[in-house]
Amino acid sequence: MAKERIESLPKHIGIIMDGNGRWAKKRGLPRKFGHRQGAKAFRKVVRYCKEKGIRCCTFYAFSTENWSRPKEEVDAIMSLMKEYLDEVRKYIDEDVRVIFIGDRTKLDHDIQQKMNALEEDSKDFTSMTLGIAVNYGGRAEITNAAKSIAQEVASGDLDLSMVDEHTFSQHLYTSQMPDVDLIIRPSGEYRISNFLLWQSAYAEFIFMKNILWPDFSEKDMDKALDEFARRNRRFGGV
Ligand code: IPE
Ligand code: IPE
Ligand code: MG
């Protein structure tokens, strides 16, 4: 791989895995089949990102707003999650660090335990960091960060004059990750849906119109990486 190519790779990719329901609907299947197929795409894309040398990749699996879906669908997603947590364990053998972002206290106890164990067991791995956003909402994350900073200031552990953007970043779920520099969303929706609001301040966005998440392939990732490499990022400069 040429040097410029490596330098133009994103350091952190965020992926909004959208379109599972529509994928199933197109085939006359219940929505949960779309989620199952989406989980397969997740596995494929994680492996490919690692192969490509992406150091950090975060997948949006379940938002704080997704609880508003019918109970049957939420239950189906949670039971898939349980299954997949065992599967994700295999990534550990591949030197991948797993970090869950979001409020896990609202999830079933056994799911929480599996998440904690996975994070603990993979904390020293360095090839890639795999972020999985479950019961994640960017606004909730920012609110919680503000609250915990306020608490530290009130208790005297933190000096108000020391609170800056770096302090704030350190209070987010993503404190161990670089800011996201590429966000990919398939399915034809052109919105952020409460994903990585703080972290995406200077992210490039790639919305893919003609692809639903379960069909997302290595080729689509290549297309996104090529497009990212062509973008001219200015960060407010000239
Ligand atoms: C994304 O697919 C998965 C989750 C939000 C859990 P959707 O379920 O949103 O699929 P569409 O957008 O309805 O097609
Ligand atoms: C975003 O997709 C959340 C995940 C992919 C987990 P949604 O399908 O929930 O987003 P909206 O409702 O279309 O904005
Ligand atoms: Mg959707």
Side-chain angles (χ1 to χ4, degrees), residues 146-162:
K147 262 193 196 161
S148 74
I149 290 171
Q151 251 163 8
E152 286 170 40
V153 170
S155 67
D157 291 336
L158 184 64
D159 193 317
L160 182 59
S161 67
M162 298 297 287

Side-chain angles (χ1 to χ4, degrees), residues 136-178:
Y136 174 87
R139 285 188 166 183
E141 179 183 39
I142 291 169
T143 309
N144 288 336
K147 262 193 196 161
S148 74
I149 290 171
Q151 251 163 8
E152 286 170 40
V153 170
S155 67
D157 291 336
L158 184 64
D159 193 317
L160 182 59
S161 67
M162 298 297 287
V163 177
D164 58 10
E165 292 183 10
H166 177 72
T167 323
F168 209 91
S169 298
Q170 288 306 304
H171 284 77
L172 299 174
Y173 294 120
T174 49
S175 60
Q176 313 272 317
M177 305 172 178

Side-chain angles (χ1 to χ4, degrees), residues 17-22 31 35 61-62 66 69 73 77:
M17 304 189 284
D18 196 22
N20 295 350
R22 277 163 284 173
R31 294 176 59 87
H35 296 309
F62 194 84
N66 286 146
R69 296 188 177 199
E73 179 169 350
I77 294 172

Side-chain angles (χ1 to χ4, degrees), residues 10-192:
K11 290 188 180 61
H12 182 179
I13 305 182
I15 300 181
I16 302 177
M17 304 189 284
D18 196 22
N20 295 350
R22 277 163 284 173
W23 184 93
K25 191 170 175 211
K26 257 174 54 183
R27 289 161 179 78
L29 297 166
R31 294 176 59 87
K32 67 175 179 195
F33 285 87
H35 296 309
R36 182 163 286 282
Q37 205 60 30
K40 287 188 186 155
F42 162 81
R43 174 170 50 188
K44 191 168 66 185
V45 174
V46 174
R47 287 239 153 79
Y48 194 60
C49 285
K50 185 166 173 253
E51 198 182 306
K52 283 288 203 182
I54 309 294
R55 301 304 312 277
C56 183
C57 206
T58 298
F59 292 79
Y60 204 4
F62 194 84
S63 75
T64 46
E65 288 72 36
N66 286 146
W67 297 107
S68 68
R69 296 188 177 199
K71 185 173 182 303
E72 193 197 336
E73 179 169 350
V74 171
D75 288 348
I77 294 172
M78 289 302 157
S79 91
L80 253 179
M81 199 88 74
K82 252 181 237 177
E83 240 177 79
Y84 256 77
L85 281 170
D86 295 325
E87 164 98 3
V88 167
R89 189 153 267 285
K90 291 188 193 136
Y91 293 125
I92 291 185
D93 299 333
E94 299 171 26
D95 199 34
V96 172
R97 177 174 189 188
V98 184
I99 295 179
F100 292 96
I101 65 169
D103 179 7
R104 69 187 75 172
T105 62
K106 303 283 182 305
L107 307 171
D108 279 0
H109 270 282
D110 50 343
I111 294 190
Q112 287 188 47
Q113 269 169 358
K114 282 183 182 186
M115 287 176 160
N116 296 341
L118 256 170
E119 283 182 340
E120 179 58 28
D121 295 345
S122 67
K123 68 178 191 307
D124 296 325
F125 293 137
T126 53
S127 286
M128 181 172 110
T129 299
L130 167 63
I132 306 178
V134 183
N135 192 23
Y136 174 87
R139 285 188 166 183
E141 179 183 39
I142 291 169
T143 309
N144 288 336
K147 262 193 196 161
S148 74
I149 290 171
Q151 251 163 8
E152 286 170 40
V153 170
S155 67
D157 291 336
L158 184 64
D159 193 317
L160 182 59
S161 67
M162 298 297 287
V163 177
D164 58 10
E165 292 183 10
H166 177 72
T167 323
F168 209 91
S169 298
Q170 288 306 304
H171 284 77
L172 299 174
Y173 294 120
T174 49
S175 60
Q176 313 272 317
M177 305 172 178
D179 274 348
V180 68
D181 42 16
L182 168 63
I183 290 190
I184 302 173
R185 181 171 191 156
S187 94
E189 309 300 349
Y190 298 79
R191 54 179 171 264
I192 186 86

